Amino acid sequence: MSDGVLELDDSKHLNVHQQRWRNHIRDCKEILRIVEPLEIAGRIVKLTGLVMEAVGIKLPIGSACYVPLAEGRRVEAEVVGFDGERMLLMPQSSVDGITPGAKVFALEIAESLPKPHHGQPPRRRATDRARHLPVGADLLGRVVDGAGNPLDDLGEINSSQSSALNARPMNPLMRAPIEDVLDVGVRAINSMLTVGRGQRMGLFAGSGVGKSVLLGMMARYTTADVIVVGLIGERGREVQEFIEQILGPEGLARSVVVAAPADAPALMRLQGASYATTIAESFRNEGKNVLLIMDSLTRYAMAQREIALAIGEPPATKGYPPSVFAKLPALVERAGNGRRGEGSITAFYTVLTEGDDQQDPIADAARAILDGHIVLSRSLAESGHYPAIDVEQSISRAMHNITSPEHQKLARKLKQLNSRYARSVDLINVGAYEAGSDAVLDMAISKHELIERLLQQDVAERSDWEESLQFLAAVMHGVPLA
């Protein structure tokens, strides 16, 4: 002590109270050292169409923020890009009520770090502003929107678990291979397009050919621990119909439904697909076998197109910007098997083929990244053939790894007979074909009725794996069916 001033470097003169303050200052310096400076408030300077521009705030891409409105309301948004010092924000709801110069704040979402010494509160890393939404068993039997808000009348979601929407990609070498057959309860798929547990399949269909009914059959009949349904960009009327008429109370009890209908903002539709996948991932990490149904992958791509075009990304293939074709595999690759000993996500993605055009850019891109595709035919649907699966155009890329050689041989032979009959049907109908001219066609004609019975199935009928194989063997070996 000199002239009444305490020399801090001289620890001999520090009493207990002063030593405690010295330790506290050290802790504060450590906290400031690990936290990166971040501006958390700014103002809106431009709002055009789907995009808001803000200055005075700097957040990483994908961060959550909000604009407060009158009467305690607010518009939440996500950072989707930047232009110099301007942040480009995409709102999650209507922008009615936002005024020029309105304040914009970072949403208080942060990652807790280990507690520092001396009982200080948990440190928080300001750079983690990613949106975290509820996951886990508390969501079973619930219907939520793309932001995790309940759409049913069952109260708030009180989940103790939450997860970020965008998970890190899994090392492909760490994934367990597809080794087990998944019984989907649909005879045509079990026998001709066998699906493996952890496989990702596309359901390619135009409008009105029965894709929703087929999805409902698989949702009710598939052997899975948990079902996660993502209704993305579809008509709002179809949400309630899918829940009440297709899933039913029994199906809903083991399901989570994420609904982001067509009238939801583009960001909510995009986020709804990511949220459904995040929920499925959380159950897979718990060791459960999950069935993920997403209707539709095309609407997800269209939502990304709206966002990309709004922030100035140039269109490339038929009006779709390049980011759309980067987003698709990033979403699809999150499904599949986990590491050995973990659970699995078997996913069915519907792909809308406009005008039944199988060469649509989204359909073409989806075929390249999925593990197989099931094509629904309009001509079959119009003739009363349900499910309207065109087995000639459909394929399961995992079938040869999970089925026996005998099963593959029978399925291949049935395809050949079905194809030969389809090519000669006009000659047969007009009586121009003479029996005995073609042995293969004669067999196709004789087995046509049985093949039709194999490929068709009533909505309320379930055909398990063993039954489907027995049916296939009976048709091909000429064994009478009951």
Side-chain angles (χ1 to χ4, degrees):
M1 184 80 71
S2 63
D3 298 328
V5 178
L6 176 67
E7 297 291 342
L8 290 179
D9 290 335
D10 189 358
S11 59
K12 294 185 295 183
H13 299 285
L14 293 176
N15 57 34
V16 175
H17 181 70
Q18 292 166 333
Q19 186 67 41
R20 186 180 299 115
W21 272 104
R22 184 175 181 181
N23 292 336
H24 180 68
I25 291 172
R26 283 178 178 171
D27 289 337
C28 290
K29 286 181 178 180
E30 177 64 17
I31 293 173
L32 292 174
R33 186 184 65 81
I34 66 171
V35 175
E36 299 179 15
L38 186 68
E39 296 176 77
I40 59 170
R43 59 188 178 89
I44 301 296
V45 294
K46 185 177 180 181
L47 196 162
T48 306
L50 300 176
V51 179
M52 299 185 293
E53 297 184 17
V55 296
I57 186 170
K58 293 181 180 179
L59 295 169
I61 299 295
S63 300
C65 52
Y66 69 94
V67 179
L69 302 177
E71 300 177 356
R73 297 181 299 116
R74 69 184 188 182
V75 174
E76 294 191 7
E78 183 176 310
V79 179
V80 294
F82 56 86
D83 182 6
E85 296 296 317
R86 296 191 175 201
M87 304 301 299
L88 305 180
L89 314 177
M90 186 70 63
Q92 290 189 345
S93 58
S94 172
V95 294
D96 294 346
I98 296 180
T99 58
K103 291 288 187 181
V104 56
F105 297 92
L107 202 61
E108 289 300 325
I109 302 171
E111 175 189 5
S112 295
L113 297 176
K115 288 185 178 182
H117 298 295
H118 309 296
Q120 296 297 322
R123 304 171 183 172
R124 296 195 177 267
R125 191 190 303 278
T127 51
D128 180 18
R129 297 280 173 179
R131 188 176 296 275
H132 290 63
L133 296 180
V135 296
D138 292 323
L139 289 174
L140 290 175
R142 302 301 303 270
V143 183
V144 297
D145 65 10
N149 301 312
L151 295 176
D152 46 28
D153 296 324
L154 302 178
E156 293 297 317
I157 304 292
N158 297 315
S159 176
S160 58
Q161 298 174 266
S162 66
S163 181
L165 283 177
N166 298 314
R168 291 183 178 181
M170 182 182 293
N171 184 338
L173 298 181
M174 302 299 291
R175 283 188 186 273
I178 299 172
E179 298 175 328
D180 302 318
V181 171
L182 180 72
D183 181 4
V184 299
V186 179
R187 187 163 50 242
I189 298 177
N190 278 344
S191 60
M192 303 298 298
L193 305 163
T194 308
V195 176
R197 195 175 297 281
Q199 191 170 349
R200 296 155 305 189
M201 293 285 285
L203 192 61
F204 290 67
S207 57
V209 295
K211 63 177 174 55
S212 295
V213 175
L214 180 56
L215 287 176
M217 291 174 67
M218 290 190 289
R220 289 196 303 273
Y221 303 146
T222 298
T223 52
D225 299 321
V226 176
I227 301 169
V228 180
V229 181
L231 301 175
I232 310 302
E234 297 300 311
R235 293 181 290 273
R237 171 184 61 83
E238 292 183 338
V239 175
Q240 188 167 3
E241 287 182 1
F242 190 93
I243 294 169
E244 294 182 355
Q245 301 177 15
I246 297 179
L247 270 183
E250 232 178 80
L252 183 60
R254 59 173 182 146
S255 303
V256 182
V257 179
V258 180
D263 60 344
L267 186 62
M268 286 296 285
R269 281 176 269 146
L270 204 69
Q271 186 170 297
S274 297
Y275 185 31
T277 307
T278 300
I279 294 171
E281 287 174 326
S282 72
F283 285 115
R284 179 182 65 187
N285 295 340
E286 295 175 4
K288 298 185 182 299
N289 294 314
V290 183
L291 175 66
L292 172 63
I293 294 175
M294 192 166 295
D295 187 12
S296 70
L297 197 63
T298 304
R299 303 299 187 200
Y300 172 82
M302 288 180 174
Q304 174 60 23
R305 178 174 65 178
E306 288 181 38
I307 294 173
L309 293 176
I311 63 177
E313 188 178 343
T317 306
K318 290 190 178 181
Y320 286 96
S323 64
V324 172
F325 301 100
K327 282 276 190 180
L328 287 175
L331 178 72
V332 169
E333 283 296 322
R334 293 172 61 183
N337 284 331
R339 296 174 177 82
R340 287 192 179 275
E342 291 186 351
S344 65
I345 301 174
T346 306
F348 287 89
Y349 300 93
T350 64
V351 180
L352 302 177
T353 51
E354 298 181 9
D356 298 323
D357 178 15
Q358 298 297 326
Q359 303 308 315
D360 175 84
I362 299 302
D364 203 41
R367 261 193 303 271
I369 58 179
L370 293 170
D371 301 324
H373 52 272
I374 299 170
V375 177
L376 300 187
S377 166
R378 185 171 300 278
S379 61
L380 289 176
E382 290 173 348
S383 66
H385 184 292
Y386 288 104
I389 298 174
D390 188 334
V391 294
E392 294 177 49
Q393 295 190 59
S394 307
I395 189 172
S396 171
R397 293 176 180 167
M399 182 174 176
H400 66 282
N401 292 329
I402 56 177
T403 56
S404 67
E406 177 64 17
H407 180 181
Q408 296 168 34
K409 181 181 177 181
L410 292 176
R412 188 164 54 248
K413 184 64 176 177
L414 189 146
K415 272 191 176 184
Q416 291 171 354
L417 295 178
N418 198 50
S419 176
R420 179 63 65 89
Y421 185 90
R423 292 200 305 269
S424 307
V425 67
D426 291 336
L427 290 175
I428 298 169
N429 289 339
V430 299
Y433 174 71
E434 292 185 7
S437 302
D438 186 332
V440 176
L441 184 54
D442 288 341
M443 182 180 291
I445 294 171
S446 67
K447 293 185 178 295
H448 176 66
E449 185 179 344
L450 292 176
I451 292 173
E452 288 286 288
R453 287 179 61 186
L454 170 67
L455 298 180
Q456 295 185 57
Q457 185 174 332
D458 189 76
V459 174
E461 178 189 357
R462 184 184 190 277
S463 181
D464 62 28
W465 165 249
E466 293 296 335
E467 181 185 339
S468 300
L469 290 193
Q470 291 172 6
F471 205 124
L472 174 62
V475 170
M476 299 311 297
H477 291 318
V479 179
L481 293 170

